[in-house]
Amino acid sequence: MQRRLLTTCGLWCALVLLATPLDALVLVKDGRPACIVVISDEPSEAARRAAADLVLWIEKVSGASTPVQMESEVSRSSDDVLVLVGDSKRSRGLNIDPSKFDLEEFVIRTTEGTLAIVGDDESPDGRALAGTQLGVDYFAEEVLGVRVLWPGELGEVVPRRATLEVESINVRERPFFRQHRISNAGVYSHTEIQVKNLGWSREEFVKHHAESELWFRFHRLGGSYNSSIGHGFHNYWARFGKTHPEWFALQPDGTRDQSGVKEGRARLCVSNRGLVEQAA
């Protein structure tokens, strides 16, 4: 009876210990860094960029400039919290193996003294992906509370905290869509015309375009499906303008004539059932 009681008590104690959450990890204490961002000695491009973005967001939130080190440089006796960004020997030691992840999947996990943000940064055919970048952007938004409403500092909403703590977290996610991108038009003849109509100079647009890169990353745009998709239905007016003018959008002059429109830019009447059936 006594042995059974001791066994039962031991089991209960083990369950209590397992259920006890880890202490919060202190990344910044009173405006001073209390962590080291660690990357592999040969990091993926996504991990390198993600580490830089993580340092940026931590500094914007707390004012602390967090050091970044390769894992071979990290002192084993360091008391600082280790923030593992991307695949590394240390993250593999925590049983986080991105080679077993789905495309662009990422894991954010805390253990004793360690925060790991690791994602799938390479497709099976060797193409570069950005899983770790997606993980850092998720962390910045969901854990740090950062919001980036539009490109540039004016669009950034950053909560200020001199001490930055991270509670126990264990997240594993992947993008729902294999392609999740929108166009980010660069500086060329067509956009320069539109920029001029907005009253911007070319220099202002170049600056704004550069600032937009952070916005695009933060909103986790990209994809594991590499496709190049141009304009569709480019020859519809030539094919169907005479036989089915009702398939084309009504113009200000009351006609559906698209003959003066630049080739490939004919406006379609997408509510026309016959057009829908033809396209299908």
Side-chain angles (χ1 to χ4, degrees):
M1 180 67 179
Q2 187 176 10
R3 180 178 298 174
R4 183 180 299 173
L5 181 62
L6 288 172
T7 301
T8 303
C9 289
L11 288 172
W12 274 108
C13 288
L15 288 172
V16 168
L17 288 172
L18 287 172
T20 301
L22 293 170
D23 291 336
L25 298 178
V26 180
L27 305 186
V28 177
K29 181 69 173 178
D30 298 327
R32 296 181 178 275
C35 69
I36 299 171
V37 173
V38 181
I39 58 176
S40 165
D41 289 358
E42 297 181 357
S44 67
E45 181 57 33
R48 190 189 303 275
R49 188 173 57 242
D53 279 358
L54 180 61
V55 168
L56 172 70
W57 293 125
I58 290 176
E59 184 169 7
K60 283 179 177 287
V61 170
S62 67
S65 181
T66 307
V68 179
Q69 295 182 4
M70 293 184 175
E71 61 178 335
S72 62
E73 301 172 340
V74 177
S75 170
R76 294 182 180 272
S77 60
S78 173
D79 294 329
D80 289 330
V81 171
L82 300 184
V83 182
L84 311 181
V85 177
D87 189 23
S88 66
K89 294 177 181 178
R90 289 177 180 267
S91 63
R92 296 275 180 138
L94 299 176
N95 199 30
I96 302 176
D97 183 357
S99 68
K100 298 178 181 178
F101 288 5
D102 203 348
L103 292 170
E104 292 189 301
E105 188 173 26
F106 63 84
V107 162
I108 304 176
R109 183 183 303 166
T110 53
T111 60
E112 191 67 37
T114 303
L115 165 66
I117 306 177
V118 181
D120 172 38
D121 293 340
E122 185 177 324
S123 67
D125 60 358
R127 192 161 44 82
L129 301 179
T132 299
Q133 179 73 57
L134 300 183
V136 162
D137 294 326
Y138 176 101
F139 181 82
E141 184 171 25
E142 301 296 335
V143 179
L144 299 183
V146 174
R147 300 290 183 269
V148 183
L149 306 182
W150 56 81
E153 288 191 8
L154 189 62
E156 295 175 6
V157 181
V158 181
R160 308 293 182 180
R161 299 197 298 276
T163 295
L164 186 55
E165 296 183 342
V166 177
E167 301 293 338
S168 178
I169 183 173
N170 188 7
V171 170
R172 184 166 184 165
E173 285 201 5
R174 64 176 177 83
F176 185 81
F177 295 107
R178 288 191 61 192
Q179 187 175 79
H180 38 97
R181 69 179 78 234
I182 59 176
S183 177
N184 185 16
V187 182
Y188 61 98
S189 58
H190 180 69
T191 55
E192 285 200 84
I193 293 172
Q194 305 305 323
V195 165
K196 185 176 181 180
N197 292 336
L198 290 171
W200 283 12
S201 68
R202 188 180 191 278
E203 291 70 25
E204 287 172 324
F205 179 67
V206 169
K207 179 177 181 293
H208 184 73
H209 186 261
E211 291 176 336
S212 72
E213 291 296 334
L214 181 64
W215 183 92
F216 273 77
R217 293 200 302 273
F218 183 86
H219 289 282
R220 302 189 276 286
L221 296 172
S224 59
Y225 175 63
N226 190 23
S227 63
S228 179
I229 302 171
H231 296 285
F233 312 102
H234 64 280
N235 60 348
Y236 262 43
W237 177 253
R239 290 174 61 188
F240 305 114
K242 292 182 179 179
T243 56
H244 291 286
E246 73 278 7
W247 287 2
F248 299 87
L250 190 65
Q251 299 301 295
D253 62 3
T255 73
R256 296 180 184 271
D257 183 17
Q258 304 278 317
S259 58
V261 177
K262 183 180 178 181
E263 183 181 358
R265 305 283 180 167
R267 274 65 169 175
L268 303 177
C269 182
V270 295
S271 63
N272 185 283
R273 182 67 184 180
L275 172 66
V276 173
E277 290 178 353
Q278 196 283 329

